[in-house]
Amino acid sequence: DRLEIPDSPDWDQPAPSGNTNDFVIDTWINFDDNASNTQTITGQICGGYNYWYLMYNSDFKGLHIQDRRSSVDLRASFNTGWYPNENRWYHLAVVRTGTTYKFFIDGTQVGSDYTNAAGFTSQSCRLSIGAYSDYGLPPVVNGQNPFYGQLDEFRFSKGTNRGWTQNFTPPTSPHTPDANTTLLLHFDGDESDSQHAIDRKSTRLNS
């Protein structure tokens, strides 16, 4: 399953300006399969070389982010070399503070700081979570590069780094929206059952 949301400036990530344009993408994540290469967590893949994404690669990159405007304009690309265990929940956070990007797993930084003074490209296609449609064309049944596992408490935050500039204690309760929250998905699903997450292997999308 996947979720696609119409484009919005709510998840644009402008060039750093002090800490004014800090942002955080965070979610709880559980991998059913850590061997399948190129699994989409989220991104906007709009055709050709116009995209940004957060993905997992089982080969040499681990978790990584990339942003590209053209075949010759790679705006940002950084990898963690972090690989998960299967069937275990992790708190994942991607944080930009000033010009510095950091990855955190369960509140502990993985990989090195990545410095980039450019903002991510403002794209015009749908935001995808859990897979993506083929380069911004009408949605396809299974999506491309699907994520195999579950996501919960998925959040975009803008104008803040949530204080997560060093190792931190991850949240243990559902997020509540605040002035910096631009997207918050609890994935509570059907309250009559116990599965409250987006599940790539299920037959339904809980949201």
Side-chain angles (χ1 to χ4, degrees):
D1 293 330
R2 73 184 186 281
L3 180 65
E4 293 188 328
I5 305 172
D7 180 44
S8 169
D10 286 345
W11 34 86
D12 287 347
Q13 298 135 23
S17 176
N19 293 106
T20 302
N21 291 330
D22 285 2
F23 73 86
V24 178
I25 304 170
D26 75 299
T27 186
W28 286 92
I29 189 167
N30 186 345
F31 289 81
D32 289 342
D33 182 352
N34 63 8
S36 294
N37 192 25
T38 314
Q39 300 184 45
T40 303
I41 299 170
T42 190
Q44 290 178 281
I45 297 89
C46 300
Y49 290 95
N50 294 296
Y51 60 76
W52 70 266
Y53 60 64
L54 169 61
M55 289 189 181
Y56 167 74
N57 271 83
S58 62
D59 51 9
F60 64 94
K61 295 179 180 177
L63 284 170
H64 73 285
I65 273 185
Q66 191 170 110
D67 173 52
R68 185 183 285 275
R69 289 187 180 180
S70 71
S71 61
V72 295
D73 187 3
L74 180 62
R75 305 286 292 180
S77 181
F78 67 107
N79 313 317
T80 63
W82 177 84
Y83 302 91
N85 294 320
E86 294 179 355
N87 302 311
R88 181 193 185 286
W89 282 99
Y90 298 93
H91 181 259
L92 162 65
V94 182
V95 179
R96 187 179 76 190
T97 175
T99 59
T100 302
Y101 294 80
K102 300 171 181 279
F103 268 105
F104 294 91
I105 296 293
D106 290 340
T108 299
Q109 185 172 354
V110 294
S112 302
D113 288 358
Y114 175 79
T115 300
N116 190 306
F120 277 19
T121 305
S122 178
Q123 301 291 357
S124 59
C125 64
R126 295 179 295 270
L127 176 73
S128 298
I129 300 171
Y132 68 88
S133 292
D134 192 6
Y135 299 117
L137 297 175
V140 295
V141 173
N142 295 319
Q144 306 295 319
N145 295 333
F147 168 66
Y148 293 96
Q150 297 83 42
L151 299 171
D152 201 10
E153 291 300 306
F154 184 98
R155 180 175 64 175
F156 268 79
S157 304
K158 290 180 65 175
T160 181
N161 55 42
R162 297 285 173 197
W164 297 345
T165 59
Q166 300 179 12
N167 293 350
F168 62 90
T169 301
T172 57
S173 57
H175 297 316
T176 55
D178 59 20
N180 298 110
T181 304
T182 59
L183 179 65
L184 177 56
L185 302 171
H186 296 296
F187 296 123
D188 288 336
D190 182 354
E191 294 292 348
S192 67
D193 68 25
S194 60
Q195 186 164 334
H196 303 294
I198 178 173
D199 185 346
R200 175 65 184 85
K201 290 187 174 181
S202 73
T203 59
R204 67 189 184 284
L205 173 66
N206 292 331
S207 58

